[in-house]
Amino acid sequence: MKRSLIIAAIAAGLVVAPLHAATDAEVEARRVALELAGAFSNDGFKLRDGVCAGTVEPGKPKIVQVNLYAGNEYWFSLAASGKAKKVAVTVFDEIGRKIDAEPYQEGVTAAAGFSPDASGPYLVKVEVVEGGPSAFCLLYSYK
Amino acid sequence: MILNLRTLAGSLALVCLCASAAGQGASLTKDEIADAIRTDDFSIPMPAELMAALEKQGKLDWSAMFRPPIPTNYPNRAQLALNLGSLVADGFIAVQAEDSRQVINLGKDIIQLAKNLGVPKDILTRSSSISDFAERKQWDQLKEELEATQNEVKEAMHGSKDSDLVTLVSVGGWARGMDVISNYISAHYSETSAKILRQPGIVQYLNRKLDSLPDKLHDDPKVKNVRMKTMQMEMIVSFPRDKAPELADVKKLSELATELVKEISQKEK
């Protein structure tokens, strides 16, 4: 049900209208990221309506701040489209220490899941591990 | 010589691989943390996330947190934006309470406020889908619909002359969320639930955005008052990671948030 809603939302262009005309690569990255996040919805995770999207180059990761609540579980889903062959998503606490998250990695998709032990800011790093510059889309689900 | 070059190239490749692997696992630098991307629609959580965290502490009586209807026709655009955010938070409370009638009424008020802000007509059609989901008691879909409505209104504001008002929508939603949650925690205090109130990243982000508003908005009496309150609230929600705020602090936070939400919704006489 949830997955069909997500697909319908993509089709209708309802998932956060971008400020600029999205490129084909950006649209593809968003589609794949939503598909990946859809898998977590089967476990009761709710997809947050909002994405972080743009381009990422090898050696120039993007770091995004999020604010999370202790008690919730989170999955960060990343997809890239372009010259990337392998991407990674890593979560850090507010002072930059790496969080031991449950990893998922499959080519141009990656995900990290964890339950914060403290509420507050966290940082999510998005990077191209192999390949070239690509459009990316990062989103998260919670329960 | 060729062999030596091969050995050197091999060693360099190994160093690069190790550096790459280390890069994935290493800590972030202060500069990386300071330069992190912070956006309104990704870095600021929706009220539903806060409510989900609180629900882990036990079943809550969300309907006890309803408030009387507020006006939808403020003459001041800043006030319209602040109240739009707070009404969306009310929408989440009504969904959490699984109260169809309340959701439908709030959906209409949200759309009316958005209309008064001059939001394009196509977004306003969401009112009917909110009603449809509410009548069918599709609570998860309603949460998604409320999030999407708020995000689309913000996107429409970004695309028009009103991009500065987006911050006020976020502040209004955050304030109403804090009002409800801190009230609940002060009445049912436990260290675990009080730790949910730790939100330095959110309030610092919102305060920075409020400080960077253009003079006309920044000097608006309602906005000035909001800024004073959020400055006081920032001190309370910025406690250390491993500690819980004391009951007195939670009560103070609750008072500030309640006053803030009341002042936002009061019409000037």
Side-chain angles (χ1 to χ4, degrees):
Chain A
M1 176 66 181
K2 177 109 178 181
R3 178 170 283 215
S4 63
L5 268 174
I6 292 167
I7 292 166
I10 302 165
L14 295 179
V15 181
V16 185
L19 291 176
H20 62 283
T23 63
D24 288 351
E26 285 170 347
V27 172
E28 177 63 7
R30 186 169 298 196
R31 185 191 68 75
V32 177
L34 283 165
E35 205 172 279
L36 176 60
F40 301 119
S41 69
N42 297 333
D43 287 331
F45 282 86
K46 294 177 180 68
L47 180 64
R48 191 241 156 98
D49 183 54
V51 300
C52 180
T55 54
V56 61
E57 295 175 34
K60 290 183 183 173
K62 290 278 159 66
I63 295 160
V64 194
Q65 192 193 70
V66 289
N67 286 280
L68 310 178
Y69 296 108
N72 284 350
E73 294 171 56
Y74 294 88
W75 271 102
F76 291 89
S77 302
L78 169 70
S81 175
K83 292 179 179 168
K85 288 181 180 156
K86 188 178 175 186
V87 293
V89 58
T90 320
V91 186
F92 300 84
D93 69 13
E94 66 197 83
I95 56 168
R97 290 176 304 201
K98 190 185 167 201
I99 299 284
D100 192 14
E102 192 178 333
Y104 169 84
Q105 209 288 320
E106 177 78 54
V108 291
T109 59
F114 84 113
S115 303
D117 55 6
S119 298
Y122 288 81
L123 297 130
V124 185
K125 184 179 183 181
V126 167
E127 61 191 318
V128 174
V129 181
E130 277 177 38
S134 295
F136 77 91
C137 178
L138 174 71
L139 35 86
Y140 73 85
S141 318
Y142 66 94
K143 74 169 179 183
Chain B
M1 182 64 183
I2 291 170
L3 261 179
N4 282 347
L5 277 174
R6 276 188 184 161
T7 311
L8 181 64
S11 304
L12 277 173
L14 188 64
V15 168
C16 289
L17 274 175
C18 291
S20 168
Q24 280 181 58
S27 299
L28 296 178
T29 65
K30 280 185 180 174
D31 284 347
E32 283 177 314
I33 296 170
D35 294 342
I37 301 164
R38 292 164 176 87
T39 67
D40 209 274
D41 60 355
F42 201 75
S43 305
I44 304 299
M46 294 298 289
E49 295 175 55
L50 178 56
M51 292 170 186
L54 193 60
E55 282 253 294
K56 307 282 191 315
Q57 314 292 325
K59 192 76 184 156
L60 275 70
D61 179 9
W62 292 101
S63 58
M65 301 176 195
F66 292 168
R67 61 174 168 161
I70 62 165
T72 54
N73 59 346
Y74 301 96
N76 178 327
R77 293 176 67 73
Q79 203 175 358
L80 279 170
L82 286 162
N83 282 294
L84 178 61
S86 73
L87 270 185
V88 172
D90 280 329
F92 281 107
I93 296 163
V95 172
Q96 212 72 28
E98 302 192 346
D99 186 325
S100 301
R101 180 46 45 201
Q102 185 77 356
V103 174
I104 292 167
N105 291 339
L106 284 164
K108 284 179 185 160
D109 286 351
I110 289 166
I111 298 301
Q112 187 57 51
L113 264 176
K115 207 174 182 177
N116 292 342
L117 269 168
V119 167
K121 274 185 185 166
D122 52 337
I123 291 171
L124 304 180
T125 56
R126 286 231 176 242
S127 175
S128 60
S129 52
I130 289 174
S131 297
D132 290 347
F133 284 131
E135 273 163 10
R136 285 188 237 123
K137 302 189 185 302
Q138 291 176 303
W139 309 116
D140 282 345
Q141 285 84 348
L142 262 171
K143 283 180 196 168
E144 290 170 14
E145 196 67 11
L146 281 168
E147 279 194 35
T149 304
Q150 176 168 300
N151 283 341
E152 284 182 20
V153 170
K154 283 181 176 178
E155 286 297 334
M157 286 174 165
H158 270 306
S160 68
K161 57 180 182 177
D162 285 333
S163 61
D164 296 316
L165 294 179
V166 169
T167 299
L168 301 180
V169 176
S170 298
V171 170
W174 179 77
R176 178 67 179 133
M178 289 305 284
D179 173 29
V180 165
I181 303 296
S182 59
N183 259 311
Y184 176 83
I185 295 173
S186 67
H188 307 85
Y189 180 85
S190 74
E191 285 199 354
T192 310
S193 57
K195 280 182 173 178
I196 293 172
L197 296 168
R198 184 173 187 275
Q199 304 183 14
I202 301 171
V203 71
Q204 277 164 20
Y205 172 85
L206 293 175
N207 281 340
R208 268 200 294 267
K209 297 283 270 184
L210 285 171
D211 289 341
S212 63
L213 288 174
D215 290 347
K216 194 181 166 195
L217 263 183
H218 188 263
D219 296 338
D220 179 288
K222 285 279 178 199
V223 177
K224 268 188 166 174
N225 187 43
V226 165
R227 182 65 185 89
M228 270 171 51
K229 285 274 177 352
T230 55
M231 190 170 65
Q232 292 170 274
M233 291 165 80
E234 181 177 346
M235 288 189 275
I236 303 176
V237 300
S238 301
F239 53 89
R241 277 173 68 90
D242 54 350
K243 288 197 173 155
E246 292 181 7
L247 178 58
D249 291 329
V250 179
K251 283 190 169 164
K252 179 68 187 162
L253 182 65
S254 165
E255 276 171 29
L256 286 167
T258 303
E259 281 170 22
L260 176 55
V261 170
K262 267 191 191 153
E263 285 161 7
I264 286 172
S265 64
Q266 257 164 14
K267 264 180 139 176
E268 294 298 325
K269 287 175 186 165

